[in-house]
Amino acid sequence: MATSLRSSAMISVALYMLCSSSMLVVNKVAISLFPAENLLLILQLASSAAFLWIMGKLKTFPVDPLAMDKLKQSWLVASVFLLNIYTNVMALKSCNVETVIVFRSLTTVFIAVGDARVLQGKQGPNLSVLASLLAIVVCAVCYVRSESKDVIQPRSYFWLLAYMLAQTADCLYIKHNVNTVNMSSWGRSYYNNVLALGPLAIPWMLSEDENLEHLSQQGALGFLPLLAVFLSCLLGLCISVAAFHCRRQVSATSYSVIGNMNKILTIMINYSIWKKHASEMGLFWLFGCLLSGYAYSVVQDK
């Protein structure tokens, strides 16, 4: 039984890491070629919701049908989920992938405290844990100082900080919801995607920059932009389900550390496909953040 649970956890973590490591780069490419963040997210959410609805009707996956009591339990989770993905896309739109990863790594510091105090009822981290968390902060500060203003513009900090806070709330609150609300991972993903669609529809309809005619004039409806959008929708579906499976198996802090560590593959992909990446010194401090996150996971388990 224990071996079966361990294998299930390893598969869940591996699937989440595969999806997560690719999603950030694909979203960066998609938002660069298809500059319509609201429409991009609507397409991602709608395609995931439609797929899960069909699989539920065919009884291929155990997708919970829409019910008022579960909608009431899920609306706040969906709000946090939407805030997280929206701030992520806006951060990617305003700066490079490496900078987003650095600020994401900072969430480990906040989540570590919240995970210990809120979710597990512990007294707080020990000195070894504090040292590794402090190392993350120091490396992040050095990264920001090493990058030019062209890489991190002043307006980028708003979306980066908003993403950092949204990611913290996402890891802590959704982990709490997973532990207390009885739903399948497929059902949670379905509810999240359905409930998050509504708030995005209004800004999309009001935006003149996101109508199809304007996008066509910009060349955003060509083969490559639409291919990037399709891949982002496919990965969005995979990661939304894989994330819930992974959350069931690990703590909120471990989930955050796993998300940070798989970004090594993300960095390699991003560095190889184009020149929109950090400087060599910036990459040095970025890897310092990720290694500090790994050190934190080691000392936390002792």
Side-chain angles (χ1 to χ4, degrees):
M1 182 67 177
T3 303
S4 177
L5 290 174
R6 192 179 300 111
S7 299
S8 176
M10 290 178 65
I11 293 172
S12 297
V13 170
L15 180 60
Y16 170 69
M17 290 184 69
L18 178 63
C19 297
S20 181
S21 61
S22 307
M23 187 68 186
L24 204 60
V25 176
V26 171
N27 264 350
K28 176 63 178 179
V29 174
I31 198 62
S32 298
L33 299 177
F34 189 81
E37 60 275 2
N38 293 301
L39 182 55
L40 176 63
L41 290 175
I42 286 173
L43 292 172
Q44 290 178 356
L45 295 171
S47 58
S48 295
F51 176 81
L52 291 171
W53 180 80
I54 293 172
M55 292 298 101
K57 288 295 183 182
L58 295 176
K59 300 188 183 303
T60 305
F61 301 144
V63 180
D64 299 68
L66 294 178
M68 186 56 65
D69 59 331
K70 291 183 178 180
L71 286 170
K72 291 179 180 178
Q73 292 175 318
S74 302
W75 73 267
L76 187 54
V77 174
S79 300
V80 174
F81 166 73
L82 175 59
L83 184 63
N84 188 22
I85 62 173
Y86 186 82
T87 54
N88 173 259
V89 168
M90 294 305 295
L92 285 171
K93 190 176 182 179
S94 63
C95 55
N96 60 29
V97 169
E98 289 85 358
T99 304
V100 175
I101 294 175
V102 166
F103 276 79
R104 189 194 190 285
S105 69
L106 284 172
T107 62
T108 302
V109 178
F110 299 102
I111 294 168
V113 177
D115 196 14
R117 294 180 182 274
V118 178
L119 297 183
Q120 298 177 358
K122 298 178 181 178
Q123 294 301 313
N126 57 34
L127 291 178
S128 298
V129 170
L130 285 173
S132 58
L133 293 176
L134 179 61
I136 294 175
V137 175
V138 170
C139 289
V141 171
C142 291
Y143 172 88
V144 171
R145 291 177 62 86
S146 70
E147 292 302 289
S148 66
K149 293 182 179 179
D150 293 334
V151 175
I152 312 176
Q153 301 177 6
R155 63 184 177 85
S156 302
Y157 285 104
F158 172 81
W159 291 113
L160 289 166
L161 292 172
Y163 173 58
M164 184 175 67
L165 295 175
Q167 180 68 20
T168 301
D170 180 275
C171 285
L172 290 175
Y173 180 72
I174 294 182
K175 174 63 179 179
H176 168 74
N177 184 269
V178 166
N179 289 340
T180 56
V181 178
N182 185 26
M183 289 179 67
S184 69
S185 298
W186 304 100
R188 292 178 194 279
S189 180
Y190 178 53
Y191 272 70
N192 261 9
N193 286 290
V194 169
L195 290 172
L197 273 171
L200 287 171
I202 297 175
W204 170 58
M205 290 186 292
L206 295 178
S207 175
E208 295 182 358
D209 294 335
E210 296 194 32
N211 64 63
L212 296 182
E213 182 179 354
H214 181 77
L215 290 173
S216 178
Q217 292 173 352
Q218 290 185 308
L221 299 182
F223 174 76
L224 287 179
L226 294 182
L227 177 61
V229 171
F230 171 76
L231 290 176
S232 73
C233 291
L234 181 62
L235 282 173
L237 169 64
C238 294
I239 198 172
S240 63
V241 175
F244 276 120
H245 277 295
C246 187
R247 288 178 203 269
R248 281 185 177 273
Q249 307 292 337
V250 302
S251 69
T253 308
S254 297
Y255 176 80
S256 176
V257 171
I258 290 168
N260 288 334
M261 292 307 299
N262 69 43
K263 294 302 183 288
I264 293 176
L265 178 57
T266 302
I267 296 166
M268 294 172 62
I269 296 172
N270 187 65
Y271 193 86
S272 64
I273 64 172
W274 57 9
K275 295 182 179 180
K276 296 180 180 182
H277 49 70
S279 64
E280 292 182 358
M281 184 56 67
L283 289 173
F284 173 80
W285 292 117
L286 169 56
F287 278 107
C289 283
L290 297 178
L291 290 175
S292 298
Y294 174 74
Y296 166 78
S297 67
V298 172
V299 298
Q300 185 202 35
D301 291 337
K302 291 184 178 180

